[in-house]
Structures are given as structure tokens and as C-alpha cells.
Amino acid sequence: MISPNLDVILFEATVPVPFERAWVVQRQLQQRLLDYPEGPDTVVLLEHEPCYTLGRGASEAFLRFDPAAPPLPLHRIDRGGEVTHHAPGQLVLYPVLNLQRHGADLHLYLRQLEQVVIDVMAGLDLQGERIDGLTGVWLEGRKLAAIGVGARRWISQHGLALNVDCDLAGFAAVVPCGLGDRPVGRLVDWRPQLNAQQLRRPLLDAFASSFGLVLRPSNPQDGVFKL
């Protein structure tokens, strides 16, 4: 029998999801762990419909448009970090974890999420890079993965976004992560045959391995969380 601390429920969407819907589900999953901290962790894997998100303290100075009339849906949310862009072809992983099982250290948690991406890239024979003082993963000076998290009483939400074969045009309307001198990139520019669908399982496997978890599909006893 799998230990409850290692038994993690996977919720996976097969079509792009509006940000609002995914945020509702994250908060529902977070509240469930807040109410019952001994319950199983969960992880959500999806791609988003095109949008922008701002961290809780993010500056609108990094928007290259009027926030009252955004070119795509714009959401201010309760994660750390500045503005980022989501679009199909970008894999988004939202772990909802009781972090007291995983070190109870937000800085360690960010480094673990970076390691997940670095491990995925290593499987493609690419060397992902960290930059001192910054959060995320880079390749040859281009940022491929943005990471921003939030937590309530050590129950996490939000997570990482890895650019695989997404259209990067939407990033031109913002200063991604507030880093004007560090351009974004995507894996397909180094591995032209790659697509996001092919990388879903490697990303989940790297996440499970990094955190010592076992992923399983949801069942009726877990409740209904529709993405």
C-alpha cells in the first residue's frame, strides 16, 4: 500500500484551460488540504488559454499595455513574482502540496521545482541553467521556465510554466518576470521535433522523482474537480 504522504493525485487537462477555471480548482484543492492536512497531495498538469498573470506584489510598470484594456485576459493572483504570459504549448504544473512533508522551506521548494525542469531538459540532452539571485531555468541566456508559488499554512499552490512549443509573440507585450535584459525561449528552438504533448510524461516523471512521490489518477472518492 502506498503511504498517504507519497500518494499524489494527478489532475490532467487535455485541452487548454482558462486561467480562472484552473485557479478555482487550485484553491479548492488547497482548501481540502487546509481542512485535512493528512490527506493526499495533488498536482495539476495543463496548458492555459492565452493570458497574463501578475504576482501579488507585481508592478504594472512591466506591462506594455493599458491594464484597463489588456490584449488578453489579465489576472492578479496570489503568487510571488512579476508578470508572465501563458499560452498553449507551454506546460504548466501546479503542485498542491503539504510542504511540511517536503522540508517546510519555500526557498528549497523553488529550487526543487527548478530541478524538475533541469532534469527534463537533461533528458533532451540540454543543460538547463540557474542564475544566482533569480528564480527559473535558462538555456543559453534564454528563460525557458518561469516559477512562482504561493502557500497558506504550508499548503502550496501555483508552480512552474515550461515553454515547449508555444508562440512567444505574447511575451512582447510585457517584460517577462520583470527582466528586461533576459529574453524568453522555448525548447522547440533547440529540439525542433518536440511538442508539449510529448513532454507531459517526462515532466510528471521528473516531478515525482524529485519529490519522492507516486502519482495516481483521481477516483470518485477524491471528489470532483473539473478542469
Side-chain angles (χ1 to χ4, degrees):
M1 179 179 296
I2 297 171
S3 164
N5 288 2
L6 299 178
D7 178 20
V8 177
I9 305 166
L10 170 64
F11 294 89
E12 186 172 2
T14 58
V15 298
V17 178
F19 185 86
E20 303 97 315
R21 182 63 211 152
W23 195 16
V24 166
V25 169
Q26 279 193 80
R27 285 179 290 182
Q28 290 172 335
L29 293 170
Q30 184 187 53
Q31 188 61 51
R32 184 169 66 172
L33 265 183
L34 287 167
D35 294 340
Y36 182 55
E38 299 79 14
D41 292 336
T42 56
V43 62
V44 179
L45 176 64
L46 51 75
E47 298 169 48
H48 276 306
E49 294 181 357
C51 67
Y52 297 103
T53 65
L54 291 160
R56 56 184 170 268
S59 172
E60 292 183 355
F62 295 123
L63 305 179
R64 293 178 169 138
F65 54 79
D66 180 353
L72 296 170
L74 175 66
H75 308 278
R76 184 174 289 277
I77 58 175
D78 52 349
R79 61 159 172 80
E82 294 289 342
V83 63
T84 196
H85 173 53
H86 297 298
Q90 177 194 76
L91 290 179
V92 180
L93 195 68
Y94 291 135
V96 183
L97 309 179
N98 183 342
L99 292 178
Q100 295 188 78
R101 300 171 184 160
H102 305 286
D105 183 329
L106 283 176
H107 293 288
L108 172 64
Y109 179 51
L110 291 170
R111 304 293 82 76
Q112 287 177 294
L113 292 177
E114 288 171 345
Q115 191 62 49
V116 169
V117 176
I118 290 169
D119 290 346
V120 169
M121 293 171 65
L124 300 170
D125 198 26
L126 297 170
Q127 187 172 354
E129 303 158 353
R130 292 183 172 99
I131 295 178
D132 287 346
L134 300 176
T135 297
V137 180
W138 281 258
L139 180 59
E140 297 179 6
R142 292 184 173 271
K143 189 171 187 178
L144 269 66
I147 297 172
V149 303
R152 289 177 56 204
R153 302 204 310 267
W154 294 111
I155 308 301
S156 70
Q157 60 173 332
H158 307 298
L160 68 85
L162 174 60
N163 299 335
V164 183
D165 60 338
C166 52
D167 185 347
L168 298 180
F171 285 99
V174 298
V175 180
C177 304
L179 302 173
D181 59 342
R182 298 188 184 275
V184 295
R186 55 186 184 172
L187 286 168
V188 73
D189 293 330
W190 284 266
R191 297 292 180 263
Q193 304 307 313
L194 190 66
N195 61 54
Q197 180 62 36
Q198 293 168 333
L199 216 58
R200 283 178 168 241
R201 179 47 54 182
L203 180 60
L204 290 171
D205 288 347
F207 170 76
S209 177
S210 182
F211 286 85
L213 304 173
V214 177
L215 304 183
R216 67 164 175 85
S218 62
N219 59 46
Q221 288 72 38
D222 296 322
V224 178
F225 298 91
K226 293 185 178 179
L227 287 165

